[in-house]
């Protein structure tokens, strides 16, 4: 490829991704109204975690960066990935296997809800059960051993609308049944920001969602069923999560993507201020022992870094340097027994390939003891999601 051709293509990529910044993490609203809760996502990407166009991910661009696998024997339980079949982008068992079989020792994974394969018919509140039915089928395929030794989707996290209050228990019980022993919890996104640049996702969350009494009545139904809660929010909402965690100390809460530091819209060009605010929030949330943090999600396009817009993908060393302040802050606050590295694929595929990302995490953990590495890469995930 000539330099002239390369630059023309890379500029096109920058224009494309910059113009749709945040769609990978559900961070940019489409021109239409936000999707209603419990409806299947459309091709606009407004549903959260949707790819911005058929050009994402860009395999040719990702292939420009190749590295030797670091510590190939270190066990990894990937606690956060998705599966979907959407216009212009398919990420199903074949694509997931291509990533988990790319050199690292990924022994098992956990699927996290993304509005995939909802039921087309029936009561609206029960439609998310279709996602669990679909993913459980993928897990059963993997459990046959026909697709290799990695046990895909060994844990499943689905969705239930907590705004149903006490009535959500019926949905939760249906999800548990559909998971056939694999269902572990729910994610009800609570992303909200005053800026209309940032999406409220499929749930169309209002301000202060986590304080709502009916929503909390639904939340109270999780612990008795031994279900966890995945907290997906933006960094200014961390104090709200801290209050929720204190109010429900018996419920295990998993904070997604290091607490969602935002780098677009009103937060653009305010990285120092954002980091300081985020750190205060993380420190407060970590005081509640029932909260666990996922170390990842920093490669999405609404975040603090623009690697996805560059002419060549970052190296694992580049990612290590960029991500270190966030990862080290989280580990210092939560400890290794409440921290776990995550891939967040395919959304983080906007920034790097799967093997490059895990190389970066291994570089970040280079000075850790064998025990600390074991917890960060597999032990915490196995315990929290009951994978053993």
């Amino acid at each position: 490829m000539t330099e002239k051709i390369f630059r023309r293509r890379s500029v096109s990529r920058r224009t494309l991704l910059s113009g749709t910044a945040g769609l990978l993490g559900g961070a940019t609203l489409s021109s239409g109204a936000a999707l209603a809760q419990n409806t299947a996502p459309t091709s606009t990407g407004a549903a959260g975690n949707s790819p911005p166009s058929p050009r994402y991910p860009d395999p040719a661009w990702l292939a420009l960066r190749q590295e030797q696998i670091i510590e190939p024997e270190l066990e990894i339980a990937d606690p956060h990935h998705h599966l979907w079949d959407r216009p212009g982008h398919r990420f199903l068992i074949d694509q997931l296997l291509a990533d988990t079989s790319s050199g690292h020792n990924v022994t098992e994974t956990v699927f996290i809800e993304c509005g995939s394969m909802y039921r087309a018919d029936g009561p609206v509140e029960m439609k998310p059960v279709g996602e669990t039915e679909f993913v459980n089928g993928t897990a059963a395929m993997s459990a046959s051993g026909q697709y290799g030794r990695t046990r895909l989707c060994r844990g499943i996290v689905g969705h239930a609308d907590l705004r149903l209050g006490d009535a959500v228990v019926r949905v939760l019980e249906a999800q548990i049944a559909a998971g056939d022993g694999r269902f572990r919890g729910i994610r009800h996104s609570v992303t909200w920001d005053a800026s209309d640049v940032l999406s409220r996702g499929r749930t169309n969350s209002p301000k202060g969602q986590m304080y709502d009494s009916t929503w909390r009545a639904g939340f109270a139904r999780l612990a008795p069923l031994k279900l966890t809660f995945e907290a997906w929010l933006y960094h200014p909402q961390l104090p709200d999560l801290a209050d929720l965690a204190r109010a429900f100390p018996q419920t295990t809460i998993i904070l997604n993507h290091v607490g969602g530091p935002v780098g677009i819209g009103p937060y653009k060009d305010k990285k120092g201020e954002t980091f300081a605010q985020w750190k205060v929030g993380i420190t407060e949330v970590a005081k509640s022992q029932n909260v666990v943090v996922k170390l990842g999600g920093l490669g999405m396009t609404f975040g603090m870094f623009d690697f996805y817009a560059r002419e060549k993908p970052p190296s694992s060393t580049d990612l290590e340097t960029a991500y270190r302040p966030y990862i080290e802050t989280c580990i210092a606050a939560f400890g290794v027994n409440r921290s776990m590295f995550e891939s967040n694929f395919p959304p983080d595929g906007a920034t790097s390939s799967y093997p490059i990302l895990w190389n970066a995490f291994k570089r970040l953990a280079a000075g850790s003891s064998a025990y600390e590495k074991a917890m960060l890469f597999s032990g915490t995930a196995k315990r929290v999601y009951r994978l053993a």
Side-chain angles (χ1 to χ4, degrees), residues 280-346:
V280 170
I282 283 292
T283 302
E284 187 62 28
V285 170
K287 292 177 182 178
S288 294
Q289 295 299 306
N290 55 318
V291 185
V292 179
V293 65
K294 284 180 176 176
L295 309 174
L298 289 163
M300 293 187 286
T301 58
F302 74 89
M304 306 296 287
F305 308 105
D306 68 348
F307 290 116
Y308 57 84
R310 301 183 186 182
E311 292 182 348
K312 187 175 181 179
S315 67
S316 60
T317 302
D318 294 332
L319 295 180
E320 172 200 3
T321 301
Y323 294 175
R324 182 172 292 281
Y326 296 89
I327 302 300
E328 288 189 341
T329 297
C330 285
I331 294 175
F334 286 88
V336 298
N337 292 305
R338 291 194 289 138
S339 302
M340 50 180 143
F341 286 117
E342 56 159 338
S343 73
N344 187 40
F345 260 59

Side-chain angles (χ1 to χ4, degrees), residues 66-200:
Q66 301 289 329
E67 292 183 358
Q68 184 175 351
I69 300 298
I70 297 172
E71 295 185 77
E73 299 305 316
L74 179 62
E75 182 182 6
I76 294 171
D78 185 349
H80 198 113
H81 69 80
H82 308 294
L83 294 171
W84 58 49
D85 191 357
R86 299 177 178 176
H89 188 223
R90 172 175 288 186
F91 194 82
L92 298 174
I93 188 170
D94 289 343
Q95 291 75 29
L96 178 59
L97 280 170
D99 282 338
T100 58
S101 303
S102 58
H104 294 284
N105 183 25
V106 182
T107 59
E108 49 207 332
T109 75
V110 177
F111 168 87
I112 306 297
E113 68 87 29
C114 55
S116 189
M117 305 296 180
Y118 278 18
R119 291 174 177 173
D121 305 308
V124 65
E125 69 272 13
M126 300 299 289
K127 289 185 177 182
V129 179
E131 182 172 53
T132 300
E133 293 168 331
F134 150 62
V135 176
N136 193 53
T138 299
M141 291 171 67
S142 177
S144 73
Q146 185 175 335
Y147 297 87
R149 60 183 179 78
T150 303
R151 293 297 175 256
L152 305 177
C153 309
R154 196 164 189 175
I156 299 173
V157 172
H159 174 75
D161 191 348
L162 296 181
R163 291 173 295 197
L164 293 167
D166 290 331
V168 78
V169 70
R170 178 170 171 265
V171 182
L172 297 176
E173 289 172 344
Q175 289 280 33
I176 292 170
D180 193 25
R182 298 184 176 96
F183 196 77
R184 295 293 180 263
I186 68 119
R187 181 168 74 165
H188 182 131
S189 170
V190 293
T191 53
W192 183 91
D193 192 86
S195 171
D196 60 8
V197 171
L198 294 162
S199 172
R200 295 164 197 175

